[in-house]
Amino acid sequence: MIEFQNVTKVYEDGTKAIKGINLTIPKGKLVALIGPSGCGKTTTMKMINKLIAPSGGKILIDGKDISDTDEVELRRNIGYVIQRIGLLPHMTIEENISLIPRLKGWKKEEYEGRVDELLNLVGLEPDIYKNRYPLELSGGQQQRVGVIRALAAEPPIILMDEPFSALDPISREQLQDELKSIQNTIHKTIVFVTHDIDEALKIADEIAVMRDGEIEQMATPRELLMDPANEFVRAFIGENRLKDHQTHKQVMNIMRDDGDGFHMMLEEEEYSLIPFDSSIKEAASLLLTTGKPYLMVMKDDRKIGIISSSDILRTVASEGYREENTL
Ligand SMILES: Nc1ncnc2c1ncn2[C@@H]1O[C@H](COP(=O)(O)OP(=O)(O)OP(=O)(O)O)[C@@H](O)[C@H]1O
Ligand SMILES: [Mg+2]
């Protein structure tokens, strides 16, 4: 876990880049830092591996103040992917990936298998790419190597500063998917800086929206879409994305989480039960015949969702009515 406690950063020329942030990045989670250019994302990130020293406040990793930690040791335990890839041009791909493991004293037979495993993970055939130099790879391939290099020594923390920003949209989506599936197996603590709200919504467990050296909101993608904290966050997410989630919001408004799952705030007489694999037509006719405003969607005797007549109308209006459509 990484904790920022009232952290400030004033650069030597007087620029107040960070104005007292409190931020908790839970162990094993991917937290995205997002916000406009100059809001302090890179500054925040570089304070974690001590490339930049805070002017005030404290940063703790697993409860330990990092100002007491040796920075070389600290950085060996923190993978870092910088924006412009940062592969060393005079080293082969294998040498690049195994750099930190070698610095940590791993033996050749220990890191060799690891290099192959990582290259396979991002779809680069080890026998073809291992002995090439970075400039003999495409931009997207270099970026993949940049990402797996940060994973090579299995650091518990990985910092990624706009790692996919230089990529075309297709490679970018691919790498996002790859990162997500890698994270599903390795569960590292990842801080991921991006400008791209769709990227953040797709890959992050939690998103910190920053503005002008402050954190405006820290929330899960779902919470952010359902309940943006203020106008700035709303504008940053964009009205279209918010609108797409209005249906979810309606459902959430009539449900309440008691800690042991969702409980209805609806009275029993306001809904009738319907199996989850029913068709839209069956749902519509049940609403009509019962005169009740809601349907409770059931699967294996569990309540899994609520549908209102306006949800049905909205679905039909946006997707058209087809006989075979199910809930
Ligand atoms: N070495 C420095 N000296 C003075 N000011 C700096 C320095 N580095 C960054 N800044 C300023 O601090 C603020 C935050 O910069 P930072 O690089 O953290 O922003 P960012 O959110 O990463 O932006 P971007 O999205 O453009 O990368 C900016 O106003 C920037 O000009
Ligand atoms: Mg930056």
Side-chain angles (χ1 to χ4, degrees), residues 84-135:
R84 303 245 165 262
I85 306 166
L87 297 180
L88 299 165
H90 58 285
M91 288 189 188
T92 64
I93 298 305
E94 174 167 31
E95 288 163 346
N96 265 286
I97 299 173
S98 60
L99 184 64
I100 305 278
R102 284 185 282 130
L103 285 172
K104 284 180 128 181
W106 292 24
K107 298 197 181 64
K108 190 171 169 64
E109 51 284 12
E110 290 171 319
Y111 68 73
E112 241 181 353
R114 180 82 183 136
V115 169
D116 287 6
E117 187 188 14
L118 287 166
L119 283 167
N120 281 320
L121 204 62
V122 292
L124 296 172
E125 177 61 52
D127 290 340
I128 299 178
Y129 293 101
K130 228 165 36 176
N131 299 314
R132 289 205 193 169
Y133 288 88
L135 288 175

Side-chain angles (χ1 to χ4, degrees), residues 140-317:
Q141 291 168 336
Q142 291 180 45
Q143 204 110 27
R144 287 177 157 77
V145 175
V147 170
I148 58 176
R149 185 181 58 170
L151 304 173
E154 302 180 354
I157 295 174
I158 300 164
L159 309 178
M160 307 178 96
D161 197 348
E162 306 204 30
F164 308 147
S165 60
L167 295 180
D168 64 90
I170 293 174
S171 315
R172 189 174 179 137
E173 290 247 348
Q174 252 173 18
L175 266 184
Q176 289 165 353
D177 293 336
E178 277 160 18
L179 177 65
K180 242 184 123 157
S181 74
I182 294 171
Q183 173 66 348
N184 282 340
T185 44
I186 61 176
H187 298 294
K188 301 293 182 184
T189 306
I190 302 180
V191 186
F192 189 103
V193 168
T194 178
H195 270 105
D196 179 347
I197 183 75
D198 289 313
E199 182 164 88
L201 290 169
K202 179 171 167 184
I203 64 169
D205 295 304
E206 290 188 64
I207 300 174
V209 183
M210 296 183 66
R211 167 166 66 164
D212 202 13
E214 287 173 302
I215 293 173
E216 294 287 317
Q217 184 170 13
M218 166 98 167
T220 64
R222 199 185 157 82
E223 285 164 352
L224 211 61
L225 285 163
M226 288 194 308
D227 205 7
N230 55 39
E231 274 312 305
F232 175 80
V233 177
R234 270 194 92 79
F236 204 83
I237 298 171
E239 290 300 327
N240 287 341
R241 291 185 195 84
L242 291 169
K243 228 187 291 165
D244 287 347
H245 276 72
Q246 283 305 308
T247 319
H248 289 284
K249 184 167 181 173
Q250 273 188 348
V251 171
M252 296 304 289
N253 278 346
I254 47 180
M255 295 176 94
R256 138 179 77 87
D257 190 355
D258 277 353
D260 58 347
F262 285 103
H263 286 258
M264 297 304 306
M265 294 177 75
L266 293 175
E267 300 298 331
E268 290 243 333
E269 56 272 18
E270 289 180 289
Y271 62 86
S272 35
L273 304 180
I274 188 163
F276 75 101
D277 50 1
S278 309
S279 68
I280 298 276
K281 188 175 175 183
E282 285 165 329
S285 62
L286 196 58
L287 284 167
L288 278 174
T289 51
T290 59
K292 295 181 180 180
Y294 298 103
L295 295 172
M296 176 67 69
V297 183
M298 303 296 292
K299 186 179 183 189
D300 306 331
D301 291 330
R302 276 183 37 241
K303 297 172 175 168
I304 60 168
I306 303 162
I307 295 179
S308 67
S309 44
S310 56
D311 293 334
I312 302 266
L313 285 175
R314 199 175 300 114
T315 307
V316 173

Side-chain angles (χ1 to χ4, degrees), residues 11-13 15-18 35-44 52 83 161-162 193 195:
Y11 282 108
E12 272 160 28
D13 65 354
T15 306
K16 292 191 176 107
I18 300 296
S37 191
C39 69
K41 303 180 295 294
T42 298
T43 304
T44 302
I52 293 177
Q83 185 170 350
D161 197 348
E162 306 204 30
V193 168
H195 270 105

Side-chain angles (χ1 to χ4, degrees), residues 42-53:
T42 298
T43 304
T44 302
M45 177 165 270
K46 284 186 170 170
M47 289 194 288
I48 300 172
N49 61 1
K50 293 178 81 170
L51 287 172
I52 293 177

